[in-house]
């Protein structure tokens, strides 16, 4: 679920941080820049793991800050494909079931990846697994807040960096796309709501 990634960046340290140790000032700047941000094709950055190498610092004319090329390792959230995780159902729509891990919300289980046969209950706004038994079908609801075990089957990165001024056609209220999304599945035995698989 979490990996340590090697990265290189040039860190600007403002003059008022010169009283700190260089490592501490750079660690603070790196966390300010990267923590809780998605880096394209890397994942969701969590926190600095360590600094492996500091190159020489430079002060440029007209800027009192120091600029240091830093080699460091960062803890990143990026589950591997086929990893099984447990989250909570955040909500349901026709597009599928949305799951949250508490610190990461962009997980979608599409309708074709739910336990089958499944249907969407418009009145309750939940997905329902029509579980077949000898006595007939039982409706098992996927309610908000329930713990759900799922398999990661795909990931999608979208470059959300600004591309220029808004055009006249673009609506400022347009829904923002998530920079990093996980696609999940619960179509196997043992996956889905944990309450479905407990022994009573």
């Amino acid at each position: 679920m979490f990996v340590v990634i090697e990265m290189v960046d040039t860190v600007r340290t403002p003059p008022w941080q010169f009283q700190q140790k260089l490592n501490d000032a750079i660690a603070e700047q790196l966390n300010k820049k990267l923590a809780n941000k998605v880096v394209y094709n890397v994942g969701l950055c969590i926190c600095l793991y360590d600094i492996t190498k500091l190159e020489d610092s430079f002060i440029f004319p007209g800027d009192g800050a120091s600029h240091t090329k830093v080699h460091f390792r960062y803890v990143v959230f990026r589950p591997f494909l086929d990893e099984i995780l447990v989250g909570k159902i955040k909500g349901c729509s026709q597009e599928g079931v949305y799951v949250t891990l508490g610190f990461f919300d962009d997980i979608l289980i599409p309708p074709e990846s739910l336990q089958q046969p499944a249907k969407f209950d418009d009145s309750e706004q939940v997905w329902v697994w029509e579980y077949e038994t000898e006595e007939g079908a039982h409706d098992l609801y996927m309610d908000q807040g329930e713990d759900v075990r799922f398999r990661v089957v795909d990931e999608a990165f979208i470059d959300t960096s600004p591309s220029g001024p808004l055009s006249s056609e673009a609506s400022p209220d347009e829904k923002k796309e998530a920079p990093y999304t996980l696609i999940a599945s619960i179509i196997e035995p043992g996956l889905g709501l944990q309450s479905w698989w407990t022994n009573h």
Side-chain angles (χ1 to χ4, degrees):
M1 180 162 41
F2 297 102
V3 291
V4 175
I5 301 288
E6 292 186 8
M7 303 171 89
V8 180
D9 195 8
T10 299
V11 176
R12 180 183 184 275
T13 308
W16 55 85
Q17 283 193 302
F18 287 173
Q19 62 188 3
Q20 294 177 254
K21 287 183 180 174
L22 184 60
N23 271 39
D24 294 343
I26 285 174
E28 186 179 322
Q29 290 299 322
L30 284 171
N31 278 325
K32 192 182 287 186
K33 181 177 184 178
L34 293 172
N36 205 27
K37 306 272 194 323
V38 171
V39 175
Y40 188 69
N41 280 342
V42 173
L44 174 67
C45 294
I46 305 296
C47 66
L48 181 68
Y49 184 75
D50 64 4
I51 293 171
T52 54
K53 183 183 177 188
L54 291 176
E55 297 189 11
D56 291 338
S57 298
F58 297 93
I59 295 178
F60 298 113
D63 182 7
S66 73
H67 299 259
T68 312
K69 190 172 182 182
V70 185
H71 300 251
F72 59 97
R73 295 187 293 176
Y74 218 87
V75 178
V76 171
F77 170 73
R78 188 176 184 180
F80 56 84
L81 296 186
D82 288 330
E83 184 169 358
I84 296 195
L85 302 174
V86 175
K88 284 190 184 298
I89 294 177
K90 188 182 178 188
C92 297
S93 76
Q94 296 279 8
E95 294 175 357
V97 177
Y98 297 95
V99 179
T100 178
L101 294 174
F103 63 93
F104 184 76
D105 293 343
D106 298 311
I107 304 168
L108 174 67
I109 307 171
E112 64 274 11
S113 298
L114 298 171
Q115 295 276 5
Q116 299 298 325
K119 67 176 182 184
F120 185 67
D121 187 327
D122 280 309
S123 60
E124 298 276 345
Q125 288 292 300
V126 293
W127 279 92
V128 181
W129 178 22
E130 299 174 299
Y131 180 64
E132 296 287 341
T133 65
E134 292 169 3
E135 294 91 40
H138 287 278
D139 286 349
L140 300 176
Y141 286 81
M142 301 188 70
D143 292 317
Q144 188 175 340
E146 290 277 357
D147 290 331
V148 61
R149 183 181 286 113
F150 59 91
R151 181 187 296 279
V152 177
V153 293
D154 199 8
E155 61 182 7
F157 284 95
I158 296 172
D159 188 356
T160 57
S161 52
S163 55
L166 282 174
S167 63
S168 54
E169 301 90 43
S171 164
D173 301 326
E174 202 174 309
K175 190 183 175 201
K176 289 179 76 175
E177 289 187 284
Y180 178 44
T181 306
L182 294 177
I183 308 300
S185 170
I186 59 167
I187 205 164
E188 311 163 42
L191 299 184
L193 266 62
Q194 290 189 312
S195 56
W196 294 347
W197 304 104
T198 51
N199 294 321
H200 294 291

